[in-house]
Amino acid sequence: MNDQDKAIVIGGGIAGVSSALSLADNGYEVYVVEKKSSIGGHALSFCCKATEQCNSCGVCLAKDKVTRAASSPNIHLLTHSEVVGVREVRLKDGGVSFEVDVRKQPRFIDEDKCIACSLCYQSCPKPGIAISRPYLSSIPNVFSIDRNHCLAFQQETGCALCEDNCPAGAIFLNQKEETTILHASALVVATGFTAYDARKKGHLGYGRLPEVITGLDLEQRLLAGRASAFFGPLTREGKEHMPPRIAFIQCVGSRDPHISQDYCSRVCCKYAVRMAAKLKSQISDAEVTIFYIDLQKTESEFLSLVEQVRGKISLIKGLPVEIEKAGNGAGVSMRYENIDKGCMESADFDLVVLSVGISPAVQNQILAETLCLRTGRDGFFAPLNLLDSTVSSRPGIFLAGTCQGPKSLVESVSHGQEAALRAVAFLRGLKKKGLEEVCHG
Amino acid sequence: MIVAEQKDITEIVKMIEGCQNILVIGCDTCVTVCLAGGAKEVAILASGLRLALKVQGKEAEVHETSIERQCEKEFVDALKSAVKGHDLLISTGCGIGVQTIAEQFPSLPVIPALNTKLLGLPEKQGVWVERCQACGQCILDKTGGVCPISRCSKSLLNGPCGGSQNGKCEINKDIDCGWHLIYERLKALNRLESLAEIMPVKNWSTSRDGGPRKVIREDMCL
Amino acid sequence: MDFTPAIVAFCCENSAYRAADIAGAQQEGYPSNIRICRLPCSGKLEIIHILKAFEEGADGVFVFACHPDSCKFLLGNVRAGKRIDHTSTLLEKIGIEKERLRFFFLSELEWTAFVEMVRLGNESIRNLGPSPVKKEP
Amino acid sequence: MDNHLDSCTGGNNGIPVKIGVFFCTCGHMMNDYFDVKALMDYAAQVPGVAFVDENRFLCTRSGLEWLRSKIVRSGCNRFVIAGCSPHQYEVRFMNVLEEAGLNRSFLTIANIREGCAWACADKEGCMPKARQILSSAIKRVALAKPLEKVRRKVESSALVIGAGISGIQMAIELHGLGLRPILVEKQEKVCPKDASFMNPCTQGAQGSDEVFSSGWITQKLKELDDKKIEILTSSQVTQVKGGPGAFRVTLETAGQEKILDIGSIVVSTEPEKRAVQKMTALRPSHRIVSLSGLSDLVTRERRALEQILVTADKRTKYVCFILGEAEGFAKRSTVMALNEAIALKKQFKAEVVIAARDIIVSGTQIETLYQKARQAGILFFRSTEDSGPTVSIEKGVITVRIHDPALDRPSAKAASGNAGVCGSQESEGAARPVIIHADLLVFEDEILPGEDTECLKNALRVNLNKGGFYQEANIHLKPNLSNKKGIFLAGSCHGKEETCEALGDVRSVAMAVYSTLSRGYLETEQKVVIDTDKCALCLTCFRSCPHQAIEIGEVELGQKWGAKVIPEACQGCGICAGECPAKAIEMVHYSDNQIFSELTLER
């Protein structure tokens, strides 16, 4: 196959997957280079936010796309892999193509041989740490071994229980890092985002107080079980079985010039209200409060969700000043500004959820250097023109998803498709030019 | 189209008491279209009866079949072999179907599974409304294509009764006043003056008042 | 009471069937007497399928559909809900407790809820005892 | 137990059904849960089963190779694979069947791993359940009918309905992909009626202000012209038949009927605007305008604007924007208000006040725009949820009272007095509103679905959401699908608010259209078959198909009418089969008999 029929998607998150699918559907050969052991990115670690009805969080949409990508014959998944070098090469027919170095870290389990029977996991002395997969039916549905935790790499005697137990002979503890070279005429960068590290906001107590968690933590907890399991028996004011008090703090790492993340992350209001609704539907007497600056009332689905929770959860305009262990020992105490009342107030909570925002991915700068791309003041990859935000500063390289700026899950799917369009148009252009040159020659 | 609706299953269960071998017969025409007695409903009814019998601890067999049109002797005749061995027939046809079956199989009891309701049309999926009462003397030409016999609760012929309000019938707020509809329709047709014409007393003998009716096409019957 | 009910669970392959798979893969055991019947959409489920299940000796029938507004086929779940309502009344008239037919909304990711629903559902059917259909004549 | 065999030989052209059962033991893992050997023996004695074998890794490459050879050598025509869940490798196994020259529907997976071995809470229940699953699968596969594949040539044309900003961009994008766009506009001329739908401030990577203006439109219109894109003006779509790749569209163009064969359809109509209720409740005044009215003033009637904001007395003029009165499209109004506010502040040195409950910044660069507005000295007041700003007109003076709780604080009271607002404090009381005597009062527009939405919706047979915009509230239709395959939605007709978003949406749709049409043909499985002899033409399926994949008409050219499925539009939900009162519709892979066969309980 010609290089002009091939594309490389860097990042197997939902935007990358959506992009790859669109390209593959049109007959292009697509390589998806994913750093982690499974594609799907953040989206697959989110929980379903349906209450009595679907609240359009889009997680199932993501799951659908990822499953489709996994079974597409035109998509090649390269997990544990990173792009480490890119060169432009001139082709014989005059066209230009990229030569991309991809470094693959060892997984120690052969992807073709593994049958996901989970016997290695069961026999491992440190299951879930040394041998794990990020989610059930991850894609590819293959376990991976973490060198830093696996006993085989730490003890001289060498544990090889997994190797002994694997019925498929898929475990290779001597696997080495390897570098492969891929060729393609178009690249799609879809490396996603890093969630804002809430530890940097010391006054909110994340990492210090066990009652304070982030939205992502809550997603994972809800994915693993029902909300009622989070709380032990709550006793206060001398009474037992008190309903849990839950607070959501908005704009943690968003709209904040002090940390030069002075943009809106676009997703937090929505996920906070959805999760608040979910918690409320699972624990009907829970007292849920959302603290916010400006509630981003856009999109009709969200408006009707806000309508649905009206009166059931409280919305307070204002952000906390500090969160400390509560004096009486139960939960945390929060001081906050109530803008609507124009005064400082304080309240106690059993769980505080920080709605962390979308920060540019940590590796953006390195990748930008590798690919000779420009990043913006905010640290995201900068498009040439915001009216066409998938076109990067270098021809042949396109941007998809949250690597370009904050986007919701559905917006990322759409953006991935957009990037595919630009890539297809670019590849078609190259081909046409190639043909013309051949004719002229 | 004839519109019917299924009887309460408890009523049917009562009617089949004592029978051992039951055949449920569906009709593929009107009652299929009005979702009351087609192949699907026959299967549900038969299964429901089997369950009900088992719950009551009775042993009886319920079989099912369906024919093109129960109101035709020829189609019903074709059931002869299927009917064999049964001691009760249940018809999910309209009243006509039940009677045709009764006439063709005089030795077997036939019971109706449906209540035949009206001649009408589906207003939307699952909702049927009456449009004709088969009065035998159509006057739709005079009333702008809206039938006062079936659509006016009192079947009045010369305008509304005076009880209608905001275009709704005094019998029920959900029913449109037939005469209001006629007025609107004639207004749209620019023919309001035809309302001034007095309609004579209707000869109801062509309707049910004259006893069972008959239609004869001389040229078609030998 | 030493009675293991026979239960048929009609599962939409877009949600509950996957949830059941995940529950399985998590080795999160649920009662083995639950028989899963895969459907392309809960909207495909017909009244006759439910009745047939009871005829075949099921003590309970569970139907799992996607949450409202998330049916891959828009309104299949709503249709299923309406059919279930209709069937419940029918069952009651026939003399089968309507509690033997249960309808649940579930998404693919709510496998913990699936296990919970199935366990509780199984318990409630067990408490109801064998289906009246199975009475010896 | 034998009857499942009798009933299906008919469907198999009289060839006796021979079932091959393959067990995958997933390494040796399955043996830990039940005796696979015993299960195999059990399967072997089920009538119809002609071949039983096991493999340890069916899903691996070598396993699939093994399967292929066994399928051919076994001489069987139906297969059961007992192993992991069908969601794992069903597709892969079906492909193997196909490669071996068999129909892919002649395979049923017995889910004995996720569905049994791993799932059973009690070990004793495991074996009977596995047997149960296995016997259902065998019975089910015996009843399998072939899934036929249909391949249809597709048109390369795409109909773009509505020549607004999105429509124009859409046509250009599709043309760039080598497709043939046809632009349909109901007006006499292509001229986006509302330039103010655009978000003028988007800061580019170079830091330059790319002002999105009428210049953009002129350039795009020229592009349409240069590329010779077909445009049908004064035209409306009246009827659409067929499915993706082969729609037959009837148009009324300049009073004449026109029929086109179209591959795909994009709806990119524009919504309508209406003054908000709060504004209509006031006496009309040239000093009270809507946001779109204001942008008209700015672009077209500058003199009128000058008359309001420039007077001889050189008194500072006050402009007040009230936001948050309309449901939805808040992003659009915030962007427009911020832009206009900055412009008025700069050009007329006016004192500009924006009263809003929440500032909507969740869009491309809106936060930057908001900061810019604040730096420019625009004043923001936050009204509370329950007491929005009130407006009164006395002797021609427009007075706006805003309750901003932040200014209710004792410390803030004094500050608000000299904050530059012409605010005097009203008499002592609990609530102390800020009072503004506005020279120009601006409300946002209420955005409503276009007036022809109902008409077009009926012609296209697509669903609307509760607000009347295109696209039903269902996550599976996101980002831009309609309920009918092959019809896509782009731009503000389904709620996209700002220009960046709308243009992005357009490109995403263009990709979807291209994916539908690029190969020149569509290949689909005929998942649903209708028995025309049984069809009572009751229209139930036609009315209940969620994807409008059923048409009523001549089944074969010149023959009797009946219901027929458009396989390209069908998504295989089986709702029609479930609703059909005549049992004329059958889902090939989920026939009633197959479902019944799974219900029989082993006693």
Side-chain angles (χ1 to χ4, degrees):
Chain A
M1 198 170 236
N2 215 312
D3 280 4
Q4 282 137 24
D5 299 315
K6 286 192 270 187
I8 298 170
V9 176
I10 308 173
I14 186 58
V17 162
S18 151
S19 215
L21 264 178
S22 290
L23 286 161
D25 281 350
N26 289 297
Y28 291 92
E29 196 93 6
V30 189
Y31 298 92
V32 177
V33 182
E34 166 62 47
K35 195 173 58 170
K36 297 234 174 70
S37 65
S38 161
I39 59 165
H42 282 100
L44 294 196
S45 65
F46 297 159
C47 66
C48 166
K49 297 177 200 66
T51 49
E52 291 82 36
Q53 64 169 92
C54 168
N55 287 320
S56 327
C57 67
V59 179
C60 48
L61 189 71
K63 197 128 194 201
D64 240 38
K65 292 257 174 205
V66 173
T67 320
R68 264 190 58 211
S71 61
S72 168
N74 290 347
I75 297 181
H76 309 281
L77 303 179
L78 300 152
T79 48
H80 282 283
S81 302
E82 273 180 281
V83 168
V84 288
V86 174
R87 289 172 299 280
E88 230 164 87
V89 286
R90 278 218 150 259
L91 298 175
K92 281 190 199 118
D93 62 3
V96 178
S97 165
F98 293 107
E99 197 172 78
V100 179
D101 299 329
V102 176
R103 187 159 62 208
K104 187 174 170 62
Q105 298 295 335
R107 184 195 270 271
F108 305 111
I109 297 181
D110 188 317
E111 285 162 29
D112 286 334
K113 287 192 174 151
C114 175
I115 52 172
C117 64
S118 75
L119 285 173
C120 55
Y121 177 88
Q122 284 162 27
S123 62
C124 179
K126 290 164 86 180
I129 301 165
I131 294 189
S132 63
R133 57 184 161 180
Y135 348 92
L136 281 159
S137 61
S138 59
I139 287 166
N141 195 355
V142 176
F143 284 85
S144 59
I145 294 174
D146 185 344
R147 192 191 340 223
N148 298 325
H149 295 284
C150 176
L151 296 177
F153 296 91
Q154 285 166 9
Q155 286 176 345
E156 297 221 339
T157 45
C159 161
L161 280 172
C162 49
E163 213 172 339
D164 298 342
N165 274 294
C166 177
I171 296 182
F172 295 92
L173 291 169
N174 55 356
Q175 230 176 38
K176 293 273 173 302
E177 173 190 300
E178 46 187 279
T179 307
T180 42
I181 296 174
L182 299 176
H183 291 267
S185 290
L187 299 186
V188 176
V189 180
T191 46
F193 68 96
T194 303
Y196 177 71
D197 182 5
R199 279 186 192 83
K200 291 186 196 158
K201 293 266 162 199
H203 65 286
L204 297 176
Y206 183 67
R208 182 160 54 86
L209 302 167
E211 290 87 352
V212 181
I213 61 171
T214 65
L216 290 179
D217 296 337
L218 182 60
E219 295 263 12
Q220 264 151 25
R221 285 200 195 183
L222 281 171
L223 190 59
R226 290 177 75 82
S228 42
F230 306 166
F231 305 99
L234 295 173
T235 313
R236 60 173 182 265
E237 296 152 23
K239 280 181 248 168
E240 284 181 6
H241 302 295
M242 295 298 282
R245 300 154 301 179
I246 304 160
F248 283 83
I249 315 293
Q250 296 309 106
C251 294
V252 177
S254 309
R255 306 191 67 191
D256 190 344
H258 301 297
I259 53 165
S260 63
Q261 287 194 188
D262 50 355
Y263 51 83
C264 167
S265 288
R266 301 177 73 160
V267 292
C268 326
C269 283
K270 279 155 194 135
Y271 82 66
V273 175
R274 280 184 190 128
M275 281 204 284
K278 177 104 181 166
L279 290 175
K280 187 75 189 163
S281 81
Q282 292 192 350
I283 312 173
S284 57
D285 59 354
E287 294 161 13
V288 186
T289 314
I290 298 180
F291 294 90
Y292 67 99
I293 305 177
D294 288 302
L295 199 64
Q296 300 299 311
K297 286 195 203 166
T298 56
E299 290 175 33
S300 59
E301 281 89 1
F302 182 65
L303 294 179
S304 59
L305 178 63
V306 170
E307 231 16 76
Q308 185 195 319
V309 298
R310 187 177 294 277
K312 293 184 193 149
I313 63 176
S314 17
L315 290 162
I316 292 179
K317 207 178 179 82
L319 289 183
V321 181
E322 61 175 359
I323 301 176
E324 286 304 332
K325 193 104 203 111
N328 53 13
V332 292
S333 173
M334 180 198 293
R335 275 204 319 131
Y336 60 91
E337 181 192 13
N338 187 331
I339 293 178
D340 277 348
K341 287 198 186 143
C343 61
M344 293 300 292
E345 289 180 348
S346 74
D348 290 357
F349 293 97
D350 301 303
L351 183 73
V352 175
V353 183
L354 307 180
S355 298
V356 288
I358 291 179
S359 297
V362 274
Q363 76 279 13
N364 272 9
Q365 284 310 327
I366 304 165
L367 190 64
E369 269 169 44
T370 314
L371 300 177
C372 299
L373 292 183
R374 216 173 288 147
T375 53
R377 196 170 51 89
D378 47 14
F380 292 102
F381 286 100
L384 270 185
N385 176 343
L386 273 169
L387 289 174
D388 195 349
S389 58
T390 58
V391 180
S392 79
S393 48
R394 184 172 174 188
I397 303 187
F398 305 93
L399 309 172
T402 47
C403 74
Q404 182 267 318
K407 272 170 204 70
S408 73
L409 204 159
V410 172
E411 283 164 348
S412 296
V413 169
S414 181
H415 204 244
Q417 235 161 283
E418 270 183 61
L421 172 92
R422 280 287 165 260
V424 166
F426 179 77
L427 293 172
R428 278 173 54 92
L430 283 184
K431 228 175 178 172
K432 212 165 145 196
K433 219 164 96 189
L435 272 179
E436 276 164 14
E437 272 172 42
V438 169
C439 291
H440 285 294
Chain B
M1 180 186 61
I2 295 172
V3 180
E5 121 189 295
Q6 211 169 90
K7 283 178 180 287
D8 200 306
I9 193 157
T10 44
E11 198 183 332
I12 304 174
V13 170
K14 265 192 209 122
M15 291 193 281
I16 63 171
E17 214 155 294
C19 296
Q20 297 295 311
N21 234 316
I22 301 161
L23 181 66
V24 186
I25 306 166
C27 173
D28 292 345
T29 311
C30 304
V31 290
T32 297
V33 176
C34 72
L35 318 178
K40 177 182 166 193
E41 296 300 323
V42 166
I44 293 170
L45 178 61
S47 175
L49 291 177
R50 278 194 291 268
L51 285 170
L53 288 164
K54 275 190 197 158
V55 170
Q56 293 175 357
K58 287 175 190 153
E59 256 196 285
E61 288 206 22
V62 184
H63 301 114
E64 55 198 73
T65 187
S66 194
I67 57 170
E68 187 64 36
R69 247 187 356 260
Q70 287 191 8
C71 52
E72 304 281 2
K73 287 176 186 167
E74 287 82 349
F75 289 132
V76 175
D77 268 346
L79 277 171
K80 241 176 206 153
S81 61
V83 161
K84 235 174 239 154
H86 292 96
D87 57 359
L88 177 75
L89 305 180
I90 301 179
S91 161
T92 67
C94 62
I96 313 160
V98 181
Q99 294 181 57
T100 323
I101 292 172
E103 281 169 34
Q104 293 313 103
F105 300 108
S107 61
L108 277 176
V110 184
I111 60 162
L114 307 186
N115 291 324
T116 308
K117 301 289 265 201
L118 49 96
L119 299 179
L121 61 86
E123 193 177 60
K124 59 176 194 185
Q125 184 69 2
V127 179
W128 293 269
V129 287
E130 183 161 24
R131 284 291 182 270
C132 177
Q133 288 201 335
C135 72
Q137 268 289 317
C138 198
I139 51 164
L140 283 169
D141 57 322
K142 298 189 179 62
T143 55
V146 180
C147 171
I149 311 292
S150 59
R151 304 198 68 180
C152 165
S153 300
K154 300 171 185 172
S155 296
L156 296 180
L157 289 173
N158 285 297
C161 62
S164 73
Q165 260 183 2
N166 304 323
K168 295 291 173 187
C169 176
E170 68 172 346
I171 302 246
N172 185 334
K173 288 267 175 296
D174 296 330
I175 301 174
D176 286 323
C177 168
W179 275 101
H180 184 89
L181 295 173
I182 293 171
Y183 175 83
E184 292 294 338
R185 177 89 177 120
L186 289 176
K187 195 160 102 182
L189 290 171
N190 212 5
R191 267 183 46 201
L192 274 182
E193 74 286 350
S194 67
L195 282 179
E197 203 178 307
I198 301 288
M199 265 191 252
V201 176
K202 187 173 168 71
N203 176 1
W204 289 98
S205 73
T206 57
S207 181
R208 279 290 304 141
D209 292 20
R213 292 166 284 176
K214 203 177 212 174
V215 176
I216 303 169
R217 234 336 255 280
E218 280 298 348
D219 58 330
M220 298 297 278
C221 51
L222 292 176
Chain C
M1 206 193 308
D2 190 30
F3 157 64
T4 313
I7 294 172
V8 175
F10 289 102
C11 293
C12 165
E13 69 174 354
N14 298 302
S15 53
Y17 194 90
R18 287 165 195 260
D21 267 0
I22 299 179
Q26 284 283 44
Q27 313 248 340
E28 189 76 32
Y30 54 89
S32 62
N33 50 315
I34 311 283
R35 178 103 75 79
I36 290 176
C37 184
R38 178 184 176 202
L39 291 174
C41 170
S42 55
K44 169 76 184 88
L45 181 70
E46 294 175 42
I47 297 172
I48 187 71
H49 299 150
I50 301 171
L51 297 182
K52 265 274 160 47
F54 281 111
E55 272 196 69
E56 294 290 346
D59 299 295
V61 172
F62 298 166
V63 180
F64 291 92
C66 303
H67 288 282
D69 283 351
S70 73
C71 174
K72 202 170 171 189
F73 310 110
L74 311 177
L75 291 173
N77 50 358
V78 179
R79 271 174 205 284
K82 292 224 164 185
R83 284 181 202 152
I84 301 285
D85 288 348
H86 184 91
T87 318
S88 293
T89 28
L90 189 66
L91 285 176
E92 211 163 32
K93 285 174 185 165
I94 287 169
I96 298 172
E97 302 90 330
K98 67 167 190 266
E99 292 76 19
R100 291 187 187 276
L101 174 60
R102 302 282 298 269
F103 184 55
F104 304 99
F105 289 126
L106 197 75
S107 80
E108 173 184 358
L109 295 171
E110 295 174 304
W111 58 272
T112 48
F114 173 82
V115 174
E116 200 179 297
M117 286 167 180
V118 169
R119 281 190 192 149
L120 292 175
N122 184 46
E123 224 28 64
S124 71
I125 302 289
R126 193 204 296 272
N127 291 337
L128 280 171
S131 152
V133 179
K134 288 201 265 191
K135 248 190 279 176
E136 288 304 315
Chain D
M1 173 152 308
D2 276 6
N3 58 351
H4 70 268
L5 289 177
D6 301 338
S7 52
C8 63
T9 36
N12 199 30
N13 296 331
I15 303 162
V17 165
K18 279 173 82 184
I19 303 166
V21 183
F22 297 103
F23 285 81
C24 174
T25 51
C26 204
H28 50 73
M29 197 266 308
M30 292 285 203
N31 283 305
D32 298 353
Y33 295 90
F34 37 62
D35 185 352
V36 176
K37 204 86 215 120
L39 266 185
M40 287 174 68
D41 292 342
Y42 168 77
Q45 53 82 39
V46 177
V49 175
F51 188 86
V52 181
D53 207 344
E54 68 164 325
N55 187 295
R56 291 169 68 197
F57 325 106
L58 262 191
C59 58
T60 57
R61 212 168 283 165
S62 61
L64 292 169
E65 205 43 63
W66 178 88
L67 182 65
R68 186 174 2 243
S69 69
K70 286 284 173 179
I71 284 175
V72 176
R73 263 188 282 156
S74 68
C76 293
N77 46 25
R78 300 283 195 282
F79 296 92
V80 169
I81 291 175
C84 56
S85 160
H87 285 296
Q88 298 287 347
Y89 302 114
E90 190 178 38
V91 178
R92 227 182 259 190
F93 295 142
M94 283 181 165
N95 291 345
V96 171
L97 242 71
E98 221 162 36
E99 285 161 28
L102 287 154
N103 192 282
R104 58 194 295 125
S105 100
F106 291 161
L107 171 80
T108 295
I109 304 276
N111 180 2
I112 57 169
R113 191 175 81 172
E114 279 88 344
C116 178
W118 284 351
C120 286
D122 46 333
K123 278 258 170 185
E124 315 81 70
C126 212
M127 186 68 184
K129 186 170 188 183
R131 220 181 295 141
Q132 180 90 72
I133 292 174
L134 195 59
S135 84
S136 310
I138 294 171
K139 277 185 246 165
R140 193 178 199 288
V141 84
L143 294 160
K145 287 184 189 159
L147 265 174
E148 303 295 346
K149 274 197 178 161
V150 218
R151 188 187 258 233
R152 187 173 292 182
K153 198 181 146 286
V154 303
E155 301 289 330
S156 66
S157 52
L159 196 71
V160 182
I161 305 171
I165 293 162
S166 308
I168 293 173
Q169 182 66 23
M170 187 59 139
I172 292 170
E173 295 286 359
L174 291 174
H175 182 270
L177 288 168
L179 300 173
R180 189 165 67 86
I182 300 168
L183 200 51
V184 178
E185 171 58 48
K186 107 187 134 168
Q187 313 286 341
E188 285 166 27
K189 233 179 110 200
V190 172
C191 161
K193 59 183 167 188
D194 187 7
S196 57
F197 268 103
M198 303 167 192
N199 164 8
C201 178
T202 45
Q203 213 167 38
Q206 289 91 1
S208 61
D209 278 6
E210 285 150 29
V211 175
F212 196 86
S213 63
S214 53
W216 186 89
I217 294 171
T218 331
Q219 181 207 330
K220 292 288 166 180
L221 288 176
K222 189 169 172 298
E223 221 172 309
L224 281 182
D225 215 34
D226 291 347
K227 292 184 167 148
K228 301 200 171 50
I229 288 170
E230 199 174 331
I231 302 172
L232 298 168
T233 47
S234 311
S235 301
Q236 264 174 303
V237 174
T238 54
Q239 194 190 42
V240 173
K241 288 200 150 191
F247 286 109
R248 174 147 290 191
V249 180
T250 314
L251 292 152
E252 205 186 275
T253 180
Q256 289 195 325
E257 201 179 82
K258 191 177 174 115
I259 292 175
L260 295 172
D261 286 322
I262 296 290
S264 196
I265 298 174
V266 181
V267 182
S268 57
T269 52
E270 286 192 348
E272 308 275 326
K273 295 180 304 277
R274 189 174 71 185
V276 289
Q277 200 262 331
K278 201 164 196 167
M279 180 169 152
T280 44
L282 294 170
R283 202 152 13 96
S285 154
H286 69 290
R287 290 172 184 277
I288 303 177
V289 291
S290 68
L291 273 172
S292 54
L294 178 63
S295 61
D296 278 348
L297 280 182
V298 172
T299 49
R300 272 172 241 151
E301 299 160 64
R302 207 157 171 91
R303 173 120 354 123
L305 189 64
E306 278 164 6
Q307 271 170 8
I308 298 171
L309 295 179
V310 184
T311 48
D313 60 5
K314 300 211 170 134
R315 174 178 62 84
T316 317
K317 298 293 180 300
Y318 290 93
V319 181
C320 180
F321 290 80
I322 297 179
L323 299 180
E325 296 295 325
E327 270 280 293
F329 285 82
K331 211 190 287 183
R332 171 183 182 273
S333 29
T334 308
V335 170
M336 283 178 72
L338 290 174
N339 276 310
E340 300 295 3
I342 295 170
L344 292 179
K345 178 89 192 172
K346 269 192 191 155
Q347 291 168 17
F348 296 98
K349 306 272 177 294
E351 198 64 77
V352 184
V353 173
I354 295 182
R357 167 70 190 156
D358 292 304
I359 304 292
I360 306 297
V361 289
S362 67
T364 319
Q365 301 284 322
I366 308 181
E367 184 81 49
T368 319
L369 185 62
Y370 174 45
Q371 282 166 10
K372 220 163 131 186
R374 292 178 70 134
Q375 279 155 14
I378 288 159
L379 300 167
F380 288 85
F381 291 107
R382 312 247 167 150
S383 46
T384 58
E385 193 94 320
D386 22 67
S387 62
T390 54
V391 182
S392 59
I393 308 176
E394 288 145 34
K395 293 180 194 146
V397 180
I398 304 167
T399 310
V400 183
R401 288 180 174 79
I402 309 166
H403 296 268
D404 187 333
L407 302 176
D408 265 357
R409 274 177 291 183
S411 57
K413 272 177 204 163
S416 77
N418 15 353
V421 183
C422 64
S424 62
Q425 298 284 315
E426 273 203 342
S427 57
E428 292 292 315
R432 293 160 180 278
V434 175
I435 297 173
I436 297 154
H437 299 298
D439 295 281
L440 183 62
L441 178 60
V442 188
F443 284 98
E444 68 205 298
D445 302 279
E446 195 171 357
I447 309 294
L448 301 165
E451 57 185 10
D452 57 341
T453 304
E454 196 61 29
C455 245
L456 188 57
K457 166 216 155 192
N458 289 335
L460 296 169
R461 301 188 68 210
V462 296
N463 299 346
L464 305 179
N465 67 13
K466 283 191 202 99
F469 287 93
Y470 290 93
Q471 194 172 49
E472 208 173 338
N474 185 300
I475 188 67
H476 296 282
L477 297 179
K478 302 275 169 189
N480 33 37
L481 306 178
S482 75
N483 56 309
K484 182 151 185 166
K485 258 195 183 174
I487 300 184
F488 300 92
L489 313 166
S492 45
C493 74
H494 73 123
K496 291 283 171 261
E497 299 189 20
E498 40 150 344
T499 324
C500 285
E501 251 174 40
L503 291 180
D505 193 40
V506 163
R507 285 186 290 271
S508 159
V509 170
M511 190 65 218
V513 171
Y514 184 68
S515 297
T516 319
L517 307 179
S518 69
R519 266 153 305 164
Y521 67 89
L522 281 177
E523 194 171 69
T524 31
E525 280 172 351
Q526 182 98 39
K527 290 182 178 141
V528 167
V529 287
I530 302 184
D531 182 341
T532 316
D533 290 338
K534 286 190 189 164
C535 175
L537 270 167
C538 66
L539 298 155
T540 299
C541 52
F542 174 78
R543 290 177 188 140
S544 49
C545 175
H547 305 109
Q548 310 294 0
I550 292 187
E551 276 185 350
I552 303 289
E554 291 169 351
V555 178
E556 298 280 343
L557 203 66
Q559 281 187 10
K560 205 182 131 185
W561 275 41
K564 55 183 175 179
V565 181
I566 306 163
E568 291 79 18
C570 172
Q571 303 194 13
C573 61
I575 287 174
C576 53
E579 292 279 326
C580 176
K583 289 261 155 235
I585 308 182
E586 185 175 73
M587 251 199 116
V588 179
H589 209 49
Y590 290 93
S591 68
D592 272 350
N593 284 336
Q594 283 185 314
I595 293 175
F596 292 155
S597 76
E598 290 192 51
L599 301 177
T600 27
L601 296 167
E602 295 275 302
R603 302 248 164 75

